Amino acid sequence: MTDLGKTRRAATTALLAAGLTLALAPAAHADAPAGAPAPVAAADLAKARDAVQSPAVLDRLGHFFARKGVPPTQQLTIGAAEEARAATAETPRLAGDTVPVYTLDAAFVAGTPGAAVAKAEFTASKVVAADGQTASVWTVRQGDDWRVVNIASGGDEGDYAAKAAADGGTAFREPQINAWYVLRDGRVLPLDDEARRSVGADGVALAAYQQLVHRRYGDKLPGSAYDRAGEGGGYQVGAAAPEPAGHGSLLPAVTAGAALGATALVGAVAVLRRRTGARRG
């Protein structure tokens, strides 16, 4: 892997080791395909979307777009007054649906019978600025409330979810290698370049994918020596060991109120600037 940022676009530590998933109420899903994640209740998605549309969050988004995604810890060439005017002019608006974002599940990696390939980690809402910039706003439920925990440039979460759903599948991510897949008809198929490098252009059967991720992460699950040692980081396909954490300048996500690494906060919101360059295929 030549671009360190590729493993840090959505998370910089192994979520399997951290054991973090989003406490979403699953919707009824009788007769769900084998391995399919539990769907999220429409009422939860509506509440998450409402949280994104609060005046405080929209104001924060305006500043995010005014700064072109540059974190508040980094200096801009414009002054505060100019930033404020630009933030007002951006008039952020929601585009598309608020979607659950599914992440590779530790139980699936461990080989637990009947485990789904992924679990809902957070919800994402795509937002578009007046000048065409896009961002993905991440929300998690805390008690009875929904909280915005991250703003990430671009709209991968919603885009991949829509692409997968159009073909009757479910999108999920393997954050350790920044790979996006679709589970469809018992097969795991790639949605981005990282996933194609992982499972090939034609994908693999679900059982083969389980064996693959077990080889990668089976010794890094919660309670493992890897976990107890406090290790974390991206995972290079074909590498003998995971990439250590603490390198690179890209900001990690904050999930369920727990930091997955060093973060820059804007109020209670982490700002994530994704890597640039081609991501889709």
Side-chain angles (χ1 to χ4, degrees):
M1 177 173 50
T2 59
D3 183 356
L4 186 61
K6 291 181 180 180
T7 62
R8 288 176 166 35
R9 176 161 58 90
T12 58
T13 60
L15 292 179
L16 299 175
L20 297 175
T21 55
L22 175 58
L24 284 172
H29 58 293
D31 302 322
V40 175
D44 278 326
L45 295 177
K47 291 175 182 177
R49 192 175 184 85
D50 286 344
V52 175
Q53 298 180 88
S54 75
V57 171
L58 292 176
D59 177 70
R60 193 167 292 148
L61 279 162
H63 283 274
F64 177 88
F65 289 130
R67 298 178 65 90
K68 309 301 182 186
V70 175
T73 53
Q74 297 181 21
Q75 192 69 32
L76 285 182
T77 57
I78 62 174
E82 186 177 352
E83 179 184 336
R85 287 193 296 272
T88 300
E90 289 297 356
T91 57
R93 61 176 178 82
L94 285 168
D97 296 328
T98 294
V99 298
V101 178
Y102 297 104
T103 297
L104 181 63
D105 183 22
F108 179 81
V109 173
T112 303
V117 69
K119 284 186 177 181
E121 183 190 352
F122 55 90
T123 69
S125 302
K126 187 175 181 178
V127 181
V128 180
D131 66 358
Q133 292 183 80
T134 60
S136 181
V137 183
W138 300 3
T139 50
V140 298
R141 189 178 63 192
Q142 296 183 325
D144 293 331
D145 298 323
W146 284 82
R147 180 187 178 203
V148 173
V149 294
N150 191 51
I151 300 171
S153 59
D156 284 356
E157 292 78 14
D159 293 347
Y160 286 132
K163 183 175 182 180
D167 293 327
T170 302
F172 72 95
R173 63 183 192 141
E174 185 182 333
Q176 296 80 6
I177 61 171
N178 190 35
W180 283 90
Y181 307 92
V182 55
L183 175 65
R184 185 171 65 243
D185 298 331
R187 291 188 65 80
V188 174
L189 305 166
L191 286 173
D192 66 0
D193 289 340
E194 288 82 1
R196 275 185 285 276
R197 285 192 288 270
S198 171
V199 298
D202 297 326
V204 295
L206 182 63
Y209 180 69
Q210 192 280 324
Q211 294 171 3
L212 177 66
V213 294
H214 182 78
R215 289 196 300 270
R216 288 176 181 167
Y217 314 121
D219 61 348
K220 301 171 183 64
L221 295 168
S224 66
Y226 176 89
D227 182 25
R228 293 192 300 272
E231 298 289 345
Y235 182 93
Q236 181 176 352
V237 176
E243 179 184 290
H247 299 282
S249 60
L250 216 57
L251 302 175
V254 171
T255 309
L260 301 181
T263 60
L265 300 179
V266 184
V269 179
V271 175
L272 171 65
R273 184 174 180 85
R274 302 180 198 267
R275 68 179 175 86
T276 57
R279 289 195 296 270
R280 296 177 177 80

